[in-house]
Amino acid sequence: MGKTVLVIVEHKHGKLRQVALESLTVAGQIAGDGGRVISGVIGDDVAQVASELSNYPHNGGYVVADERLGTYNPDLYAAAVNALVEQVKPDVVVFGHTAIGRDIAPIIAADLEAGQVSDIVGLVTDDDGSISFIRPIYAGKAFERRQFLTGPWIVTVRPNNFPAITRGETEQIEFTPLAFTPPASERFVVRETVQASDGKRDLTEASVVVSGGRGVKSADGFRPLEELANVLDGAVGASRAACDAGYCDYSLQIGQTGKVVTPDVYIACGISGAIQHLAGMSQSKLIIAINKDEEAPIFGIADYGVVGDLFEIVPKLTEELKRRKIG
Amino acid sequence: MNIAVLMKQTFDTEEKVVLTDGRISEAGVKFVINPYDEYAVEEAIRIKEKHGGTVTVLSVGNQDVAQSLRTALAMGADEAVLIDDHRIGTDEYSVSRAIAAYLSANPCDVILGGNFSVDLGSGQVAIRVARLLNLPHVSAVTSLTVDEGRAAAVRDLDGDVQTIEVALPALFTAQQGLNEPRYPSLPGIMKAKKKPLTVLDLDALKLTTSDIEPRTARTSVELPPARQAGQRLTGTVDEQVQKLADILLAATHVGMSKHA
């Protein structure tokens, strides 16, 4: 028997986030034969997002639109998600494992007295139809399989680990507006939101990550890495050593403390490869390491290694890629 | 101002994960305060130093966890509570209900926790606790200013930076950059030995097994396939750059449309 799966669809600047399309794939797998996948879009002006989303095959959708939902506020979002849950009565609610998903999912899990499996990177359906979720533990040093013992289920999906759902030819879904009742007390007030600079890719969603370590030597040393990331439409990351040395912000840190990334290509520049850092990036599909020290442990896991000076190689590589793109 | 810190003891991040009979081996492993919780302990002590009050560190686990609670006491926390009952599983639902039961009986103005634990890393327990206690929370804070009845927090939202104001009592989870945790001093370590460490079981929390029945369970654990060292590029710098460009263009399709 199929399940009813509600996907809370994330969007940013009027566009669907990639993880939302990946979550729809996950939802389809969980729903199974005879199941239903319903999307829920929460925000201020969501018409554009809903219109885009309607091209992706699933079984129905709701929008909770309110100007107070333009900025993430857990109290208001929880009210909106709970309105969707009440309407859809899902067996499973799926979120992206993003800043918002990580924050809102446990609230809904608490409200529903439900279990939650966070940060899934895979799922397996056994012969008896039971579903096991695969998720990294110890930042990817190991993986566990988890099952739900009772419903409803709450799941958060790690970006970059499932294929995006395939876009259909035409708009297929009609979205139904849903009212929501904000909580009476305003105990949580967003005073200010400073948005990340335009065009900057979110680290966990980027398909290419150019990462710098102690070998980058200074904050200015990150500039050639940024230029390489730009030409590859990627994001810049860092090792703990670089963050601790003050070369960059902690929000860029990749590792067991910090973010775990699984891009298509990871380029480690001047990173020795401490075990904590490897935990955060070793599931990347292709790893390239550039380091002066030919003994650096990073070479032990890199698909391609270059022993040399990053300040010579990275700018040359950027120029070469630019030349070929124009060429 | 009374402050509680939700603290978990975890593997040191230097540790490798080794499986014995399909389970994660703890033999010879060094345990530490979860690094994110260490920021929470430090922040709690700083708030106390400014506003007065007491800092209680709270853990769910077995007697081995006492060592990390003592470390927090040595840093400057005032008392420790260990909820130790084998009936509590590792499921976040169970753990959060046990913690919430303690905190609803022992209310605090500020509750601090880590953004996530570096072992299981699900990032659920603190937020669940806030919700169970019907308190506002701000997760992943990089700056926190507490005043009478209110707090201002700065949080990282996938690159965006939000400034939030909440009414106290409230819960906050610590992100890297919040502070630089202190090392316990020798006098601190001596004093910690005399500070109270209370052990509670489910009965003391007036909970029954059915209140904390887990919703999820681990069925197996596996190690990822070991990654092999690949190829060292050779030749002149320019030749290596050419090769890297070939590899990158093949792997990313960037710029391919121009040639298509």
Side-chain angles (χ1 to χ4, degrees), chain A residues 103 138 144 194 258 284 324, chain B residues 36 119 139 161 218 227 246:
Chain A
D103 199 69
Y138 301 86
E144 69 165 345
V194 180
S284 304
R324 294 202 197 179
Chain B
Y36 288 94
D119 51 6
S139 57
V161 177
R218 176 182 292 175
R227 227 180 154 116
D246 293 344

Side-chain angles (χ1 to χ4, degrees), chain B residues 164-186:
Chain B
I164 313 285
E165 207 174 294
V166 285
L168 298 181
L171 180 146
F172 306 88
T173 70
Q175 173 66 299
Q176 232 163 357
L178 177 61
N179 56 45
E180 188 63 45
R182 70 193 69 190
Y183 289 102
S185 65
L186 191 58

